[in-house]
């Protein structure tokens, strides 16, 4: 069903939707810029390396992000005409893409913590059980959202929009999902910080602990930045979900700005900082190997010079 209206009273709403589309396009541009910026690193550190589970997860998160952002542009652009069915399909696909992305990012975090805890089975079982519990709850909510969501195409003053509707209780369940995600992310950050502090204290007793300490520093730094961005996105999500303007049906500039910032930060958190959980440690490993090769080359040159000097003296 398509609703057409040229009522001048709706012009402020049209302008707000247009501002929101600017945020969505800006997020897409940022994502493409990051893809171009890290393309050389991805080729060197991912594509040309031996393929593993982390390789597939990195590529999955990275390129699902481009799909996610592109669908957002198609869905929110006021100059692109879409039927209510197509708009609903785009919304559902984006919703499931976000769910799959979070699942892959959490698998990456589990693998990092499993390595940091020296392949401890207790830690692995704890993380997998909590991961499955939260993921099943989130997946059930996503299924409910897919079944009960409806879409309506709008043509307001020659601009095209789509209004998505769903029962109020789904919004409450969706907020619970975000709270559970925050709790799981806080758990993983606490585990990462605890084991890092423990290793830093132990390494003070050893003179050769610099490499391990630097590795843990890289792991913690990328994890803390990712967690901070996740908390920011989650807080904005809860603010928009429980906004009093949402229940009254009135849209204000402040609320729409929150939605726009949410789209921008959400894309950066999932598809820019998320892949860097893998890229940062691979970059550190590559730099470490390069330094090791350079030291070996210097030792080899020094040995050759010593042999040359000894041979010359003998002559």
């Amino acid at each position: 069903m398509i609703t057409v209206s040229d009522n001048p009273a709706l012009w402020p709403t049209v302008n707000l939707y247009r501002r929101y589309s600017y945020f969505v396009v800006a997020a897409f541009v940022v994502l493409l810029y990051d893809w171009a910026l890290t393309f050389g690193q991805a080729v060197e550190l991912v594509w040309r390396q031996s393929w593993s589970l982390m390789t597939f997860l990195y590529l999955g998160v990275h390129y699902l992000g481009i799909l996610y952002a592109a669908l957002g542009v198609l869905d929110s652009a006021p100059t692109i005409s879409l039927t209510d069915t197509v708009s609903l399909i785009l919304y559902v696909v984006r919703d499931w893409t976000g769910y799959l992305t979070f699942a892959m990012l959490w698998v990456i975090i589990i693998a990092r913590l499993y390595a940091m805890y020296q392949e401890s089975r207790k830690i692995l079982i704890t993380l997998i059980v909590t991961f499955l519990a939260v993921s099943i709850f989130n997946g059930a909510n996503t299924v409910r959202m897919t079944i009960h969501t409806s879409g309506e195409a709008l043509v307001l003053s020659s601009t095209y929009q789509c209004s998505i509707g769903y029962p109020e209780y789904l919004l409450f369940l969706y907020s619970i999902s975000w709270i559970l995600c925050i709790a799981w992310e806080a758990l993983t950050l606490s585990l990462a910080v605890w084991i890092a502090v423990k290793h830093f204290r132990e390494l003070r007793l050893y003179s050769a602990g610099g490499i391990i300490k630097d590795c843990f520093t890289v792991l913690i730094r990328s994890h803390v930045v990712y967690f901070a961005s996740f908390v920011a996105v989650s807080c904005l999500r809860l603010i928009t979900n429980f906004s009093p303007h949402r229940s009254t049906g009135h849209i204000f500039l402040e609320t729409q700005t929150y939605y726009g910032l949410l789209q921008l930060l959400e894309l950066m958190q999932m598809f820019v900082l998320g892949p860097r959980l893998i890229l940062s440690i691979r970059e550190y490993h590559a730099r470490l190997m390069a330094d090791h090769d350079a030291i070996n080359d210097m030792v080899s040159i020094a040995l050759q010079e010593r042999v040359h000097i000894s041979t010359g003296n003998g002559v």
Side-chain angles (χ1 to χ4, degrees), residues 55-71:
T55 304
F56 288 103
L57 290 175
Y58 173 85
L59 296 177
V61 171
H62 207 60
Y63 290 100
L64 276 178
I66 297 177
L67 173 64
Y68 186 91
L71 292 178

Side-chain angles (χ1 to χ4, degrees), residues 177-237:
S177 294
W178 276 101
I179 293 174
L180 291 176
C181 290
I182 293 174
W184 196 88
E185 293 280 357
L187 171 65
T188 58
L189 179 65
S190 301
L191 291 173
V193 171
W194 186 85
I195 193 62
V197 172
K198 180 182 177 182
H199 274 280
F200 290 159
R201 289 178 178 176
E202 292 177 351
L203 291 175
R204 289 179 181 177
L205 304 176
Y206 303 96
S207 60
I211 294 177
I212 300 177
K213 183 177 180 179
D214 292 342
C215 182
F216 270 85
T217 302
V218 172
L219 288 168
I220 291 299
R221 184 187 297 119
S222 59
H223 201 134
V224 168
V225 173
Y226 171 81
F227 177 78
S229 65
F230 180 84
V231 171
V233 169
S234 300
C235 291
L236 276 177
R237 175 72 68 178

